[in-house]
Amino acid sequence: MPTQQSAIAATGLRKSFGDHVVLDGLDLNVPPGTVFSLLGANGAGKTTAVKILSTLITADGGSAQVGGHDVATEPDAVRAAIGVTGQFSAVDNLLTGEENLLLMADLHHLARPEGRRRAAELLDQFDLVEAAKKPGSTYSGGMRRRLDLAMTLVGSPRVIFLDEPTTGLDPRGRRGMWQIVRELVADGVTIFLTTQYLDEADELADRIAVLDHGRLIAEGTADELKRRIPGGHVRLRFADADGLESAVNVLGVLGVPGEVSRDNDALTMRVPSDGSLRSLKTLIDRLDDRAIEVDELSVHTPDLDDVFLALTGNPDNEKVTTR
């Protein structure tokens, strides 16, 4: 449930365009200083949610607060508290990187000396000092994305909406953006992240929500979501065949749920598990009680790809990028 401490809170948000329902009763609660990731295929309603929460469009129903302000009745206060980096760059190609930042400083009504100081800080923070005097048209995709986010930060927002911020970036650019996000959160900034890259959500998000046809169908940490999907197991490797045989017999007698499989050549066995600490401890205790030594143990859980497909039944014509 939303609380006074929530950085972002929404209850029953609804939005339709004509007969097409885009959001159908969206509830959200995002604590401050965290990364909240909203996952969904194209058309699931992610960008619409961001636009409502950032006051760019109005909801048809429900309520929402951002930074403690109501998006419907206090839109100016919400705008003063947030930053938004959309899917498409807001960089002006005709202006230099420094000029883009100074323009944003003017829009935030910063005094000229303060604006120049803030621009210099951000150019340094985002490793753009050498490119500061070059026009935006000469920037690479990664540089443009960094400048775009730097422009968002001119007003020192405490809540930032990142709508698919790494789309089109190469792996180095994506990881650079991830590091910037981590640094912002370490400073207490709240990040609302929408993405189609499931590994990005896995890497960054404190909590993840899955949006499907305008409804939240699951929410939790990445590990909690993974444990909801069958297929997790613990792989045990033994030093000799006697150890493997003893473990198979013990676990079979004790009725471990699911199918235990073995590989005699590799001296390994697979035991179904939800990946939780409790189930892992139970397994180890059962083997330890019988003095069965395990040479190597590894836990395997489904990844977010498996979670997303299992929850949404995502058809082939809906794109969710996993790399």
Side-chain angles (χ1 to χ4, degrees), residues 102 105-106 110-117:
L102 291 175
D106 289 341
L110 299 183
R112 185 54 58 92
E114 173 65 12
R116 291 195 174 280
R117 183 190 65 79

Side-chain angles (χ1 to χ4, degrees), residues 106 167 169 257 301 305:
D106 289 341
T167 298
L169 295 187
T301 58
D305 299 43

Side-chain angles (χ1 to χ4, degrees), residues 8-15 21-28 48-50 52-53 58-65 71 214:
I8 302 170
T11 303
L13 282 186
R14 299 190 304 277
K15 185 66 178 179
V21 177
V22 181
L23 292 179
D24 190 12
L26 180 64
D27 296 330
L28 295 173
T48 299
V50 169
I52 291 173
L53 294 171
T58 58
D60 296 333
S63 62
Q65 299 81 40
V71 299

Side-chain angles (χ1 to χ4, degrees), residues 76 79-80 101-116 118 154-156:
D76 290 341
R79 291 169 195 147
L101 291 170
L102 291 175
L103 174 61
M104 293 302 298
D106 289 341
L107 292 173
H108 281 281
H109 306 293
L110 299 183
R112 185 54 58 92
E114 173 65 12
R116 291 195 174 280
R118 186 67 177 139
V154 168
S156 302

Side-chain angles (χ1 to χ4, degrees), residues 41-44 196 212-213 308-309 312-320:
N42 286 339
Q196 293 189 62
D212 187 39
H213 295 94
F308 188 91
L309 294 174
T312 66
N314 188 48
D316 292 340
N317 64 349
E318 289 186 336
K319 178 184 175 185
V320 177

Side-chain angles (χ1 to χ4, degrees), residues 1-11 13 26-38 46 48-55 63-71 78 81-84 157-163 188-194 207 209 216 219:
M1 293 294 294
T3 68
Q4 291 184 338
Q5 289 74 39
S6 299
I8 302 170
T11 303
L13 282 186
L26 180 64
D27 296 330
L28 295 173
N29 180 29
V30 182
T34 63
V35 178
F36 182 91
S37 182
L38 192 61
K46 305 187 303 298
T48 299
V50 169
K51 287 182 176 180
I52 291 173
L53 294 171
S54 59
T55 76
S63 62
Q65 299 81 40
V66 177
H69 303 286
D70 189 283
V71 299
V78 171
I82 68 173
V84 180
R158 304 310 296 167
V159 178
I160 298 177
F161 293 92
L162 298 181
D163 192 12
V189 175
T190 303
I191 303 290
F192 188 98
L193 171 71
T194 74
R207 291 189 69 79
L216 280 189
E219 183 179 345

